[in-house]
Amino acid sequence: MAATRFILPETDIPTHWYNVVADLPSAPAPVLGPDGQPIGPDALSAIFTDAIIEQEISSERWIAIPEPVRELYQLWRPTPLVRARRLEAALGTPARIYYKYEGSSPAGSHKLNSAIAQAYYNRQAGIRRMTTETGAGQWGSSLAFAGQAFGIDVRVFMVKVSYQQKPFRRSMMQTWGAEVLASPSLHTAAGRAALEADADNPGSLGLAIAEAVEEAASRKDTTYGLGSVLNHVLLHQTVIGLEAIKQFALAEDYPDMVFAPCGGGSNFGGVAFPFLADKACGKPVRLVAVEPSSCPTLTRGHYAYDFGDTAGLTPLMKQYTLGHDFMPPSIHAGGLRYHGASSLVSQLYHEGLIEARAVPQLATFEAGVTFARAEGIIPAPESCHAIRAALDEALACKESGESKALFFNLSGHGHFDMASYDKYFAGALEDYDYPEDAIRAALARLPCVGA
Amino acid sequence: MAATRFILPETDIPTHWYNVVADLPSAPAPVLGPDGQPIGPDALSAIFTDAIIEQEISSERWIAIPEPVRELYQLWRPTPLVRARRLEAALGTPARIYYKYEGSSPAGSHKLNSAIAQAYYNRQAGIRRMTTETGAGQWGSSLAFAGQAFGIDVRVFMVKVSYQQKPFRRSMMQTWGAEVLASPSLHTAAGRAALEADADNPGSLGLAIAEAVEEAASRKDTTYGLGSVLNHVLLHQTVIGLEAIKQFALAEDYPDMVFAPCGGGSNFGGVAFPFLADKACGKPVRLVAVEPSSCPTLTRGHYAYDFGDTAGLTPLMKQYTLGHDFMPPSIHAGGLRYHGASSLVSQLYHEGLIEARAVPQLATFEAGVTFARAEGIIPAPESCHAIRAALDEALACKESGESKALFFNLSGHGHFDMASYDKYFAGALEDYDYPEDAIRAALARLPCVGA
């Protein structure tokens, strides 16, 4: 019986997170205030605790993972690295395909890696209440469980249209004890203003962020937790890549290419950054961020200063962006509908150290179904993006006869996304090819700072 | 860091299933035809292949697991044995609580263990088409994926009310390529008769079985797969208990009590039978089948010959039963709403080798939420029954100061059962205390054979 799953003992849960900032070829671009001047860490203290801010600005290569966080990780980590032998056979490819399954976390995705860390540091700082937002529901679920684990009350502002369409993600958060509100809500000025303008406002991630941040900033007892984009979030996710490197040693193999979905960037950064360190040591691994062609931030956006939210309330960060008011179509990979990208991922892409590909929606579901029928697990729509790119490469190997080792992060299961699969099978999903002028128009509205 | 998950290497996937028939104190009671006379294996050949029938009547202690089945098992087996340290702490109990997580299978429950085996043997016999029924959806999902894995077309008759209420279980089966029909359907005489009598017939498991069996019996190219009750199904599930015994050795511990939900019996048999063999060797382990108090087959039924289906079409098997036309209330643990129990489980209970407990519905959900908040995983309503019984024992340990080792089978996750959790939180679930005369009336209708 040839080995299929490469599993590490619990003692191999990483003891440190890897901070890619230490190995960047050039210093990260500073974060700017609305006046275009660099801002200091103090600007973040209204919504984040000191330990989080420290990690956000740290340039230490290795940051110790607190023991209580590692103990929580034990509930599902190390996650398996799987050789997708049945998928290889189904494709008839000479490629060696591997995936790491982060959907085995209780919350069903990699997001829990950072949620646990964030809840821990907040509880250490005496915080007993946090707010956050959620779109597809993966991040909200993760912080709900993490809050429960550390005795923190969590209030989740869930984009109203998701709140209505994904009632079971909401039930999941409630089972873990979180309070879930449809956003826009009457609890914040931002929500009230939105509802005043349009009582039927379906909500958006940008608006839900505004509500969660407003509440955290206005209450001394409450902080805010973000599920992607920021440096500390990507840092926490590096457990994925660090484990994978050890697991490839077990498999006596090494990836030629690594694929991960890229929305805000924590999924991609989590799996790719540790390989980047390897790459710096001379291993010729190619790291590919895969984004939806309907929200082609890296492949068609600009590298410029922009806001993190649609309302323009956050500090300005240098990033690949489609313009903060770019409104991607409502594709089913809700977690990848973000106008920008993590500054770290953006900088690495700008410096040519990583690659990016955009894939259309229908092809991602096709890849997801092919994967599910071969390997069993039904992937989240976000994860289907990485699968699509890996499959394309595997099929190219079939043409060329090459046997590359292809590795992707299977970031989550699709158990709460079956309505999207239904639509795919019913032929009710579409591809969106964004016209160049729509993108140019959104980019023309970029703030004129730090250019 | 104290160990939490005890994980075996793939080479420790069992090479043989354990057949408890070899170790029964007395021979199993024969299966009877409608005339009350014992029937031979031929009577099963209209719907089952020879290899399955051979296993159904075998008394060999160990039956080799074919290599292709073990290879499929590698997709998720060995499943983890987990020490529920956070649950212990939450309860403040000196008990050591362990669970085995079968929900990590692609289909989300232990059912896949038998589905893979059944699909394999059918494909070996040249079968390319199978029918089955599903209520809650766990078995149908499992056979859907197993059929896909071995190139067998699967048609699932899904109880109409589930078909409508659990659309995502249906989507899951379709993603794996199965055809799913609402039962009653127009495809069978049984379905047509039911619809003629009542066009709005919501369906029942008994009726769906009748449809699936009718179609398999009437088509030469089609066989039938059953997800519980029969000897060969329980046999396939013994991988659970066999792995668990090895894992307890890793944990340097051994259970004082083993708990599993009991509907048809494959879940309980799968985890308990291997421990029964240990018990025969002098280990004082107590094996507890946990059933819903609304369908108290073992705790309040009779040990008698009865049909397996509500219509009285199957052969007669000696079993604990509430009467084949007993209609349990529509509790949310759909997998436990069965009037009878596996003959093997029934015989062992009758001979005093195992125990049984009935638990009310609300208390099972309360236990499920307690478990989810401590350990992360949200359990299926069926699994919540075993959790409830284990929690009761852990709380008794807290009173007495004893430190028992309690082990339960976490047979599946609840990702497709969140509507039930919603109802629980909304206070919309009820307990059912079955009046003694209703049970007596159903038992009075037992067939008068082999008594």
Side-chain angles (χ1 to χ4, degrees):
Chain A
M1 223 165 48
T4 294
R5 293 194 302 163
F6 301 93
I7 296 180
L8 300 171
E10 291 177 321
T11 45
D12 273 336
I13 293 174
T15 55
H16 292 74
W17 291 299
Y18 168 66
N19 185 5
V20 76
V21 173
D23 291 324
L24 288 178
S26 52
V31 175
L32 305 181
D35 56 357
Q37 295 306 308
I39 59 168
D42 291 358
L44 300 171
S45 63
I47 57 170
F48 294 121
T49 60
D50 291 348
I52 294 285
I53 296 172
E54 216 171 277
Q55 292 189 347
E56 185 61 25
I57 59 171
S58 170
S59 55
E60 288 292 313
R61 182 172 287 108
W62 296 102
I63 295 180
I65 304 178
E67 217 39 37
V69 172
R70 290 186 75 223
E71 272 168 25
L72 259 297
Y73 282 170
Q74 281 181 293
L75 288 180
W76 79 100
R77 305 207 72 87
T79 60
L81 177 76
V82 186
R83 171 85 182 266
R85 295 184 189 279
R86 296 178 50 79
L87 180 63
E88 293 168 14
L91 298 173
T93 178
R96 300 168 334 266
I97 307 178
Y98 295 87
Y99 64 90
K100 189 152 169 76
Y101 186 40
E102 290 291 309
S104 57
S105 89
S109 83
H110 68 293
K111 295 280 184 189
L112 196 52
N113 296 325
S114 184
I116 296 276
Q118 292 187 38
Y120 168 77
Y121 288 117
N122 276 281
R123 179 58 195 260
Q124 284 295 101
I127 294 295
R128 302 299 296 261
R129 191 166 181 282
M130 291 180 75
T131 61
T132 195
E133 73 289 327
T134 202
Q138 289 189 339
W139 170 247
S141 302
S142 297
L143 198 65
F145 175 59
Q148 174 65 235
F150 287 108
I152 292 174
D153 292 333
V154 175
R155 172 176 276 187
V156 182
F157 291 91
M158 184 172 190
V159 177
K160 195 193 275 173
V161 62
S162 293
Y163 184 90
Q164 289 162 341
Q165 287 175 357
K166 300 185 108 183
F168 299 147
R169 269 283 172 199
R170 187 180 74 205
S171 320
M172 198 173 199
M173 293 185 254
Q174 287 166 340
T175 301
W176 285 322
E179 180 191 16
V180 187
L181 302 173
S183 166
S185 78
L186 291 170
H187 290 264
T188 66
R192 286 189 295 272
L195 288 171
E196 227 161 82
D198 174 9
D200 296 325
N201 189 315
S204 71
L205 201 55
L207 184 50
I209 293 177
E211 289 206 271
V213 168
E214 177 189 325
E215 185 170 318
S218 64
R219 286 181 59 157
K220 262 254 164 284
D221 69 341
T222 302
T223 59
Y224 167 72
L226 187 66
S228 189
V229 179
L230 296 181
N231 299 3
H232 68 276
V233 186
L234 275 63
L235 174 78
H236 301 152
Q237 295 295 351
T238 57
V239 289
I240 305 171
L242 292 168
E243 285 179 7
I245 288 173
K246 282 197 185 183
Q247 287 165 311
F248 272 105
L250 275 186
E252 297 177 353
D253 207 343
Y254 194 83
D256 294 298
M257 298 178 77
V258 176
F259 303 88
C262 193
S266 78
N267 189 333
F268 176 76
V271 67
F273 288 175
F275 283 96
L276 200 71
D278 266 22
K279 188 173 173 166
C281 303
K283 297 212 176 177
V285 57
R286 291 169 59 192
L287 306 168
V288 185
V290 190
E291 60 186 15
S293 52
S294 56
C295 191
T297 314
L298 294 171
T299 52
R300 295 177 72 188
H302 279 191
Y303 187 50
Y305 270 97
D306 200 2
F307 299 106
D309 66 330
T310 50
L313 298 173
T314 70
L316 289 152
M317 289 166 291
K318 192 141 187 201
Q319 60 185 304
Y320 274 86
T321 176
L322 293 164
H324 59 278
D325 61 358
F326 177 85
M327 186 56 70
S330 44
I331 57 162
H332 286 267
L336 305 182
R337 292 181 66 233
Y338 185 62
H339 69 274
S342 136
S343 284
L344 291 175
V345 170
S346 296
Q347 181 178 346
L348 290 165
Y349 182 58
H350 187 67
E351 291 174 353
L353 291 167
I354 63 171
E355 303 169 42
R357 288 187 193 175
V359 290
Q361 174 163 261
L362 286 175
T364 62
F365 277 95
E366 189 207 16
V369 171
T370 300
F371 179 83
R373 291 186 176 177
E375 297 289 320
I377 298 163
I378 298 178
E382 291 81 3
S383 312
C384 289
H385 286 68
I387 299 176
R388 176 72 267 166
L391 257 59
D392 286 344
E393 201 64 37
L395 293 170
C397 285
K398 189 177 177 177
E399 286 298 309
S400 68
E402 278 178 289
S403 173
K404 288 186 187 167
L406 309 174
F407 168 47
F408 64 87
N409 191 29
L410 183 53
S411 49
H413 62 63
H415 298 169
F416 296 92
D417 303 283
M418 296 311 302
S420 308
Y421 279 89
D422 272 356
K423 282 193 188 161
Y424 169 70
F425 284 120
L429 289 190
E430 288 172 26
D431 280 339
Y432 304 84
D433 195 14
Y434 243 83
E436 192 60 36
D437 55 353
I439 289 183
R440 265 205 301 270
L443 290 172
R445 293 189 295 271
L446 278 175
C448 295
V449 293
Chain B
M1 224 166 47
T4 295
R5 293 195 303 162
F6 301 93
I7 296 180
L8 300 171
E10 290 178 321
T11 45
D12 273 336
I13 293 174
T15 55
H16 292 72
W17 291 299
Y18 167 66
N19 184 5
V20 76
V21 173
D23 292 323
L24 289 179
S26 51
V31 176
L32 305 182
D35 56 358
Q37 296 305 308
I39 58 168
D42 291 357
L44 300 171
S45 63
I47 56 170
F48 294 120
T49 61
D50 292 348
I52 294 285
I53 297 171
E54 216 170 277
Q55 292 188 347
E56 184 61 24
I57 59 171
S58 171
S59 55
E60 288 292 313
R61 183 171 286 111
W62 296 103
I63 294 180
I65 304 178
E67 217 39 38
V69 172
R70 290 185 77 222
E71 272 167 27
L72 257 298
Y73 282 171
Q74 281 181 296
L75 288 180
W76 79 100
R77 305 207 70 85
T79 60
L81 177 77
V82 187
R83 171 85 183 266
R85 296 185 188 278
R86 296 178 50 78
L87 180 63
E88 293 168 15
L91 298 173
T93 178
R96 285 130 37 226
I97 307 177
Y98 295 86
Y99 65 90
K100 189 150 169 77
Y101 185 41
E102 290 290 310
S104 58
S105 90
S109 83
H110 68 294
K111 295 280 185 189
L112 196 53
N113 297 325
S114 184
I116 295 276
Q118 293 187 38
Y120 168 78
Y121 288 117
N122 275 282
R123 179 57 195 260
Q124 283 296 100
I127 294 295
R128 303 298 296 260
R129 190 165 182 284
M130 291 181 74
T131 60
T132 195
E133 73 289 328
T134 202
Q138 289 189 338
W139 170 247
S141 303
S142 297
L143 198 65
F145 175 60
Q148 174 65 235
F150 287 108
I152 293 174
D153 293 333
V154 175
R155 172 177 276 186
V156 182
F157 290 91
M158 185 172 190
V159 177
K160 194 192 276 172
V161 61
S162 293
Y163 184 90
Q164 289 163 341
Q165 287 175 355
K166 299 185 110 186
F168 299 147
R169 269 283 173 199
R170 188 180 73 206
S171 322
M172 197 174 200
M173 293 185 254
Q174 287 166 340
T175 301
W176 285 321
E179 180 191 16
V180 186
L181 302 173
S183 166
S185 78
L186 292 169
H187 291 263
T188 66
R192 286 189 295 271
L195 289 170
E196 227 161 82
D198 174 8
D200 296 325
N201 188 318
S204 72
L205 201 56
L207 184 50
I209 293 177
E211 289 206 89
V213 168
E214 177 190 325
E215 186 171 316
S218 65
R219 286 182 58 158
K220 262 253 164 284
D221 69 341
T222 303
T223 59
Y224 166 72
L226 187 67
S228 190
V229 178
L230 296 181
N231 298 3
H232 69 275
V233 187
L234 275 64
L235 174 78
H236 301 153
Q237 294 296 350
T238 57
V239 290
I240 305 171
L242 292 168
E243 285 179 7
I245 288 173
K246 282 198 183 181
Q247 288 165 311
F248 272 105
L250 274 185
E252 298 178 352
D253 206 343
Y254 194 82
D256 294 298
M257 298 178 77
V258 176
F259 303 88
C262 194
S266 78
N267 188 332
F268 175 76
V271 66
F273 288 175
F275 283 95
L276 201 70
D278 266 21
K279 189 173 172 168
C281 303
K283 296 213 177 177
V285 56
R286 290 169 59 193
L287 306 168
V288 186
V290 190
E291 60 186 14
S293 52
S294 57
C295 191
T297 314
L298 295 171
T299 52
R300 295 176 72 187
H302 280 192
Y303 187 50
Y305 271 97
D306 200 2
F307 299 106
D309 66 328
T310 50
L313 298 173
T314 70
L316 289 152
M317 288 167 291
K318 192 142 188 199
Q319 60 186 304
Y320 275 86
T321 175
L322 293 163
H324 59 276
D325 62 356
F326 177 84
M327 188 54 71
S330 45
I331 56 161
H332 287 267
L336 304 182
R337 292 181 67 232
Y338 185 63
H339 69 275
S342 137
S343 284
L344 292 175
V345 171
S346 294
Q347 182 177 346
L348 290 164
Y349 183 57
H350 186 68
E351 292 175 351
L353 291 166
I354 62 170
E355 304 169 41
R357 288 187 191 175
V359 290
Q361 173 163 264
L362 287 175
T364 63
F365 277 95
E366 189 207 17
V369 171
T370 300
F371 179 83
R373 292 186 176 177
E375 297 289 319
I377 298 164
I378 298 177
E382 290 81 2
S383 311
C384 290
H385 286 68
I387 299 175
R388 176 73 266 164
L391 256 59
D392 287 344
E393 202 65 38
L395 293 170
C397 285
K398 188 177 177 179
E399 286 297 309
S400 69
E402 279 177 287
S403 172
K404 289 186 186 166
L406 308 173
F407 168 46
F408 63 88
N409 190 30
L410 185 54
S411 49
H413 62 64
H415 297 170
F416 295 93
D417 304 283
M418 296 311 301
S420 308
Y421 279 89
D422 272 355
K423 283 192 188 161
Y424 169 70
F425 285 120
L429 288 190
E430 287 172 25
D431 281 338
Y432 304 85
D433 195 13
Y434 242 84
E436 191 61 34
D437 55 354
I439 289 182
R440 265 204 302 269
L443 290 173
R445 293 189 294 271
L446 278 175
C448 294
V449 293

